[in-house]
Structure formats: structure tokens, C-alpha cells
Amino acid sequence: MSVAEYVAEYATPYGRAHSFIRTDDLPTPELAHALAARWVEIAEVNPSAVGIIRGAIVRLCKHMASQIGFDTRNHSLGDLRRRHIVSWESTLLTMQAEVHTDTPYRYAVIMFAFLRYIEDRHPGSLHPEVYTKVRQPTRLAHIRGQPRADYSDDELRRIKAAVRSLVRPDGEWTTRAVADVIIAFHVALCISTGEPPEVLRILKLDDITATSSDPRSEGMSTEQIASGRIADSYTVTLRKNRAHIVEDVTWTRRKHATTVRYLDALIALGEPLRRQTRERSLWMLENESGMPTPAPWKRLSLTDWFGSYVRGEISLPHHIGRFRKSAIAAEIIAEPAHYLRTQRRHTQDMLFDHYTNSPTLRQDAGERLVRSISELRDRALGPTVDTGDGIVQIDPTTSQVMQLNETSLPESVGGALTGCRDPENSPHAPLGKVCPMSRMGTCFTCPNAIVTTEHLPALILVNSVSAPDAAADKTTWQKVWGAIHAATTTILQMFPPTAVDEARQHTDEVLVDLGLRHEMRGPVDG
């Protein structure tokens, strides 16, 4: 007998979670059984997709109940045909035309991927014509809404003034734990940290650890340290559900004084309310009845708050997420190269698709900075590699590989280590000057480089001599040679083992700068 209820258990940033599919509640139970069993299987592999796959399964099962010739009680996954998938896809096209959102597209893409997963893991589960269909792109378009702009500098000044009037009305931190004060603290931390507002809202006191060098802090709890205003830093565990990550971020009084002061005051403000209840939320307030409760975010209006406390008009939409845009714009303006290199907040694609529309960023940076950031992004890409089986480009920062078509391999000039598409347009020299790094391992991290089987001996040699066990100083090695070794290791893995073994016989023919061998080892190797 088939299982009537399937439970997918999976990890989230907030702990273990469960989701259910009750197959007997769906009009095509056998199809639902087959899909739900694989859904439970994939939950641990791709937990962030559990919800959207569940929604797609339910929609497909309901759709198949209306298909002529499909036996709703007995037919299952193997009875699906291309016409069924095309028909379901057409209903999503109609839905997308009505709602103008990305949800139908996501249903189509995720179901196609899910069905491919099933066939790849369990061959024979799908009819061949269905497998052929789901290997093709969906007919639905990816609708991407216009990114929200950040608040202007003038708006931020007026909003910050409103925050101060509530949290420090007479120059002293308030003891009124009411809704408008909690909104003010939320706005303040969104601006000062640049973290997603929904991530800050779910913080509990247990997610926050205070450290202090003050002798009085010995044996004190985080709340006591905050109340005494003696914290040197706060380490906060941020649970980012959309990115499906958990990370610890430390804010120090020396570098992040504003954030630390607001945390001092907010933790101290909620301390007596947490003492009265079992709640551990960072965001405690007294409701209309004077009872302590966590902030009811769905009932708190930023628009009403603006209208009550901020002088003048604030541009629409009144969305709390726009404060994050303002903070990130400021970070990019301050250190664009560092921001792109670290990618702590966003990947490069996310940054360029959603954040460089900031009026503040564009006004401050103008065309020069946007052009500079674009150049930095290009330089962050790595070489183009032709293994003989396909052409790819590498991102050396993340080691991600992007597939390119056969026409994407540009013409190149022969070099000592790799081919080079433009030696006079080097990331390491002014435009028009020949690259000075043509005999160094840096070529293997350069967007100009073209790597083919011809360059395998040089690739093997540079990978060998740049290995960390050849370094006298690990810090110097990481700074100068770490990226080279990581890039060459990634590229080597792309070539067939037989080709690599053959190339090892020819490494002594490589015209490499011999200083390379000694420089990375340091003076002790002299």
C-alpha cells in the first residue's frame, strides 16, 4: 500500500523543519506518491527548494486531473507524456500573463529540474519524450522587477533625526519600550549594519554575545554588559533564510560605534520585559494593554511612522529594505574593489543586477566609478579554458565555471604559459602597454588568458611550484600565490587525466620565469 503522507525533513538557518504532502488529498494520488517520494529524497540535497517543489507538485497533480486519457486513480509518473507537460506549461503561461510575477516561471523551472533529477537518479522513471521536454528551456519568461532605489542623503538625514528624537529624546536613552521606539531602533540598525531587515527582526538575545575588557564584566551576561554600556563588541548570529546560510558577524565599538551603541540601548530596553516573560526576542515592547510582547511586525507601519516623526515627504515606496540599499551604496562608494573581492553580502551578479541602480551611488560615483566597477568585475573573471570537450570561463574567486558556446573562443596571441587575447589590454599594466606578467603564473587567473591542451605542461609546472608546501611564509604565499594555485588546481581538474599525464612529460620545456620558483619560497630558499 502506498504511503498517504510524506514528510520532508530538512535543515534551515533556524533549525530542523518539516513539510508535508498528503497524497490522498490530491486528485491524482499515484502520481503524487511518485513525486512526493522523490521530494522527500531531495529535501536534504536542496532544502531551500522544498517549498517551491511542493507547490509545483500540487499544481501538476491538480492539472493532470483535467487531462483526457490520464487515469486519475491509477496512472503515475511513467504515464506522463510530452503533451501533458506542454499543457501544464501553458497554464503557467496564462497565469504569468495575469499576475505579472516570477512565480509561474519558478514553478516551471523547478519542476523541469526536479523531473530531470528523478530521471538522472532513477533511470526509466520518465517517458523518453518527457525527459527530452524537461531538458529544454521553459517557454515562460523570467520576469525581474525593477530594483528599489535607496533613500536619498536628504531623506536619510531627516529619518535619522526622527530616530534620535525617539530613542534619545533628551540626550538620554529612552526607557519607553513602545512600538514607535522599536521601529526607530529597527530603522537605525538597518542603516548602520546594512543587514536585511527580515534577518534583524528575528534576532533573539541568544543570538548575541557581548565581549568586554572591563574587569567589571567578569561573570556578567550579555544583558548585563549591555546595560552597563561596557561592551567592546557584539558577535551576532544572522540567519539568512533566502540565502540559506547562517553567519556570525562581529561589530566592535572601535569600528562600528553606532551599531554597538544602538545594541547596548536596545538590549537594555528589553531586559525587564524579557524578565517578565519567557520570550527571548531582541525586539520586546509593551502593547496597548501594557503587557510585554515581541514586536508584532506585521502590524507596524513604516508609512505611519514616517508621517508621525519625519519632517517633509519621503519618496515611495516606504519599504524598510531600501535602508539596506543605502548602506550598501555607501560601502561600494567607500571601497568598491574590497566589496567586489570579498562578496560577503552579495555575488557580483546580484550586486550589478540589483544594487548599482542606487541614485546615491550614481550621483557620487558618476560614470567614472560605474565604469571602474565594471572593469573590476571583468578582472574578477578568470581565463577561458578549452579542454577539447567544451569551452568554459572560470571565476577564480568562487571557482564557479560558466559554460560558453563553441563560438566564444576568441583569437589569441601565443604566450609562454597561456594564449592571450590582448597583451596590450592587461589588468596589470596601463592600456597600450604590453603585459609584464607574461611569464608568471598570474596568467592563469587573468581574463585575457586562453588555456588549451597545448598549455597543460605550463599549467602543471605552475601548479606544482605554487603549492603551499613550497612556501617559507604562509601569509606571503596566500597573498601572492594562493589565487594562482587555486586557479591552476581548478583548471587542471577540467582536463582528461590521460592528457594531464602526457603533459607531465613535457614540463621541462616550459619557458617560465625561474624567479617564480624562488620568490614564493622566500629568502631561505636562496
Side-chain angles (χ1 to χ4, degrees):
M1 177 176 289
S2 299
V3 178
E5 181 177 84
Y6 288 84
V7 181
E9 183 177 358
Y10 54 100
T12 77
Y14 318 109
R16 303 295 295 178
H18 302 80
S19 187
F20 303 85
I21 291 181
R22 294 178 175 85
T23 55
D24 287 351
D25 292 342
L26 296 172
T28 53
E30 290 304 315
L31 174 61
H33 286 306
L35 293 171
R38 303 285 80 85
W39 170 70
V40 170
E41 180 182 294
I42 205 173
E44 287 295 337
V45 179
N46 190 3
S48 61
V50 168
I52 188 70
I53 294 176
R54 182 187 183 281
I57 290 173
V58 171
R59 285 182 172 275
L60 179 61
C61 289
K62 289 181 177 179
H63 176 76
M64 291 308 301
S66 66
Q67 297 299 292
I68 297 174
F70 192 86
D71 186 338
T72 58
R73 303 309 302 173
N74 299 307
H75 279 177
S76 187
L77 189 57
D79 299 296
L80 289 179
R81 295 295 182 267
R82 177 186 174 88
R83 66 180 183 275
H84 298 141
I85 303 300
V86 170
S87 173
W88 181 67
E89 191 180 30
S90 295
T91 64
L92 294 177
L93 279 166
T94 301
M95 176 184 173
Q96 188 176 58
E98 293 173 351
V99 300
H100 302 290
T101 70
D102 214 34
T103 302
Y105 169 83
R106 295 181 64 215
Y107 280 138
V109 168
I110 203 71
M111 180 54 78
F112 279 25
F114 183 47
L115 292 176
R116 291 196 303 270
Y117 165 86
I118 292 174
E119 181 61 23
D120 291 343
R121 292 295 184 92
H122 306 278
S125 298
L126 301 181
H127 190 278
E129 66 182 37
V130 172
Y131 187 57
T132 299
K133 169 60 181 172
V134 299
R135 291 179 66 189
Q136 299 169 351
T138 177
R139 291 178 289 154
L140 277 79
H142 186 187
I143 298 176
R144 191 185 295 277
Q146 286 297 317
R148 299 185 189 93
D150 53 343
Y151 291 107
S152 70
D153 287 344
D154 175 64
E155 289 175 323
L156 283 176
R157 279 192 293 270
R158 290 185 281 122
I159 291 168
K160 289 177 181 179
V163 168
R164 288 192 295 271
S165 72
L166 284 164
V167 302
R168 302 193 70 175
D170 301 309
E172 298 293 332
W173 292 101
T174 184
T175 57
R176 296 175 57 248
V178 296
D180 288 342
V181 169
I182 294 301
I183 294 174
F185 273 109
H186 189 221
V187 169
L189 286 176
C190 285
I191 295 172
S192 68
T193 68
E195 295 298 340
E198 68 276 10
V199 172
L200 295 176
R201 286 176 178 176
I202 62 171
L203 286 176
K204 297 182 181 298
L205 194 65
D206 305 312
D207 299 321
I208 304 172
T209 302
T211 60
S212 175
S213 57
D214 191 308
R216 294 173 297 172
S217 68
E218 183 69 28
M220 282 188 173
S221 66
T222 291
E223 283 181 307
Q224 291 169 329
I225 292 173
S227 297
R229 305 297 197 270
I230 57 175
D232 293 330
S233 68
Y234 288 103
T235 297
V236 181
T237 300
L238 302 177
R239 294 174 170 82
K240 299 183 176 181
N241 196 35
R242 287 196 297 175
H244 217 79
I245 61 173
V246 178
E247 63 177 351
D248 289 336
V249 177
T250 298
W251 293 304
T252 67
R253 194 175 297 275
R254 184 174 180 181
K255 292 182 63 177
H256 315 95
T258 300
T259 299
V260 170
R261 285 197 296 267
Y262 278 118
L263 284 173
D264 283 342
L266 180 59
I267 293 170
L269 182 67
E271 190 273 334
L273 303 181
R274 281 186 290 272
R275 225 181 319 118
Q276 297 176 47
T277 67
R278 293 186 177 182
E279 296 289 347
R280 300 292 290 167
S281 172
L282 174 65
W283 308 93
M284 296 295 293
L285 56 80
E286 290 182 344
N287 63 19
E288 296 85 347
S289 304
M291 299 297 294
T293 181
W297 293 112
K298 292 184 178 180
R299 294 196 285 113
L300 302 183
S301 169
L302 186 62
T303 296
D304 291 346
W305 189 86
F306 281 161
S308 298
Y309 300 103
V310 180
R311 295 177 59 187
E313 296 295 321
I314 298 295
S315 61
L316 296 172
H318 294 162
H319 195 284
I320 193 74
R322 293 177 64 191
F323 292 117
R324 177 166 163 81
K325 300 289 287 287
S326 299
I328 289 172
E331 289 181 9
I332 296 170
I333 290 169
E335 293 185 283
H338 176 76
Y339 192 97
L340 282 170
R341 185 170 60 252
T342 60
Q343 300 188 63
R344 189 189 80 79
R345 293 196 190 275
H346 301 106
T347 63
Q348 293 157 4
D349 286 342
M350 177 65 75
L351 168 65
F352 281 85
D353 287 346
H354 292 273
Y355 284 85
T356 50
N357 73 317
S358 159
T360 303
L361 175 60
R362 290 181 177 179
Q363 179 180 351
D364 185 272
E367 293 182 1
R368 180 177 60 83
L369 182 58
V370 172
R371 184 166 61 252
S372 298
I373 293 176
S374 297
E375 291 172 0
L376 285 167
R377 184 193 190 189
D378 290 341
R379 293 181 183 189
L381 294 174
T384 301
V385 182
D386 181 1
T387 65
D389 296 326
I391 300 172
V392 300
Q393 189 166 31
I394 302 169
D395 181 336
T397 304
T398 63
S399 296
Q400 291 182 340
V401 175
M402 297 172 288
Q403 296 290 334
L404 303 178
N405 59 47
E406 295 293 331
T407 62
S408 298
L409 188 65
E411 295 182 0
S412 63
V413 177
L417 302 183
T418 71
C420 183
R421 70 177 77 194
D422 193 350
E424 295 185 356
N425 186 18
S426 166
H428 309 290
L431 184 64
K433 300 292 184 181
V434 175
C435 179
M437 311 295 285
S438 60
R439 287 184 142 186
M440 305 295 285
T442 309
C443 287
F444 292 107
T445 67
C446 179
N448 279 339
I450 310 295
V451 184
T452 67
T453 52
E454 175 187 350
H455 306 110
L456 268 176
L459 181 66
I460 294 167
L461 176 61
V462 173
N463 180 258
S464 174
V465 299
S466 65
D469 56 8
D473 186 316
K474 296 295 185 183
T475 302
T476 300
W477 176 88
Q478 183 60 50
K479 181 179 179 181
V480 181
W481 304 107
I484 293 173
H485 188 70
T488 52
T489 300
T490 299
I491 298 169
L492 269 177
Q493 294 171 351
M494 298 178 181
F495 286 91
T498 53
V500 175
D501 291 340
E502 169 64 22
R504 290 189 193 280
Q505 311 306 314
H506 303 282
T507 55
D508 58 345
E509 302 169 14
V510 179
L511 298 175
V512 67
D513 186 338
L514 293 179
L516 176 71
R517 295 178 179 270
H518 299 287
E519 186 178 356
M520 75 181 59
R521 289 174 168 82
V524 298
D525 201 38

